[in-house]
Amino acid sequence: MSTGKNTGELWALIHTERAKLAEDLDNLSEEQWQHGTLCTGWTVEQVLAHLTAAASTNQRQWMRSMIGARFRPDVHNQRRLAEHLGSTPAQTLQGFRAVINSTTAPSAHTAAHLGEVLVHTQDIRHPLGLTRTPGPEALDPVAGFFVSRDFAVPSKTYAEGLQLRATDSAFNAGYGFLVTGPVLALVMSLAGRAAYLDQLAGPGASTLRARVERNLAPVSAPPASGTGSVAQ
């Protein structure tokens, strides 16, 4: 399924969403930096460092890192995360600001990389109660990508046999029992974030919930995929 946007447009959205996240984190307290996220076991600072790592690792570097980690995703991710954690949260944020306009990624799937940025952004914002959310211009292409294939998460499998319709955007995909809700809730649910399932309604909502909850596991160990970190 086409995302409806070209690569340049997707990168522009990535840069915009990174910049917005940096703004949101500019005045966090030390306690907030160490707050848990929707990535079980990862703090706000660690998730941000992980995003910096993804924006600093090209496909060749990613493969070399995975080989060095003997294809153990936990080892790969912890090594790259450690490289981008500063000695203070301010340094970690400074490192993230330095890659806001980066077009480096571990995968050629730009829509998937946008999805990683959006999902991890909400992994941070949701537990902190930060209310800013991405707009449909960013979320719709990610939703389209998620229903079109299983990449870092089994999102296409979650959506199989369901019609997903956003109540606040033009996104509408699939055939079957209807699931409705904000496009952000659809994206995050397809990414395996159970915290967003309560925002969904319709005769297919219980099916989607059962699929996500059946596969739900700690998100602290992203799998060995190109962008990887949106997975459970």
Side-chain angles (χ1 to χ4, degrees):
M1 177 183 292
S2 170
T3 64
K5 294 186 181 294
N6 63 39
T7 300
E9 291 172 322
L10 293 172
W11 275 117
L13 290 166
I14 289 170
H15 299 158
T16 296
E17 295 304 324
R18 286 175 181 156
K20 290 178 179 178
L21 177 60
E23 288 178 7
D24 285 347
L25 303 182
D26 198 34
N27 294 307
L28 292 191
S29 67
E30 178 62 31
E31 182 180 4
Q32 287 175 310
W33 276 110
Q34 303 312 316
H35 198 287
T37 68
L38 297 185
C39 289
T40 304
W42 285 23
T43 66
V44 168
E45 185 179 9
Q46 289 172 324
V47 173
L48 189 69
H50 183 68
L51 282 172
T52 305
S56 308
T57 306
N58 62 31
Q59 295 175 59
R60 181 177 298 179
Q61 291 168 327
W62 177 85
M63 180 56 69
R64 187 184 306 123
S65 176
M66 284 300 299
I67 292 172
R70 297 183 180 181
F71 292 94
R72 292 172 293 173
D74 289 1
V75 175
H76 157 77
N77 282 299
Q78 290 298 333
R79 287 176 177 174
R80 302 291 75 79
L81 184 152
E83 288 177 353
H84 296 280
L85 270 175
S87 58
T88 65
Q91 287 188 359
T92 302
L93 179 57
Q94 182 179 11
F96 179 71
R97 287 188 183 279
V99 299
I100 282 176
N101 293 317
S102 169
T103 54
T104 298
S107 166
H109 298 284
T110 313
H113 194 59
L114 174 59
E116 172 173 358
V117 172
L118 296 184
V119 171
H120 276 322
T121 292
Q122 296 310 121
D123 284 343
I124 290 171
R125 285 177 177 149
H126 188 277
L128 291 178
L130 300 176
T131 58
R132 189 189 332 228
T133 59
E137 69 281 357
L139 288 163
D140 282 6
V142 171
F145 182 85
F146 279 2
V147 299
S148 71
R149 62 182 298 171
D150 291 333
F151 189 62
V153 286
S155 51
K156 180 181 179 181
T157 300
Y158 287 156
E160 187 173 352
L162 300 173
Q163 180 184 1
L164 306 182
R165 180 189 300 164
T167 55
D168 58 353
S169 81
F171 177 72
N172 185 10
Y175 301 92
F177 291 112
L178 182 65
V179 180
T180 63
V183 65
L184 176 61
L186 292 171
V187 165
M188 295 299 287
S189 296
L190 291 174
R193 273 40 176 189
Y196 284 81
L197 289 168
D198 286 344
Q199 299 181 36
L200 304 181
S206 60
T207 298
L208 180 57
R209 174 183 290 276
R211 291 172 179 175
V212 170
E213 291 182 343
R214 183 168 58 246
N215 289 316
L216 194 60
V219 195
S220 56
S225 68
T227 52
S229 58
V230 297
Q232 301 171 50

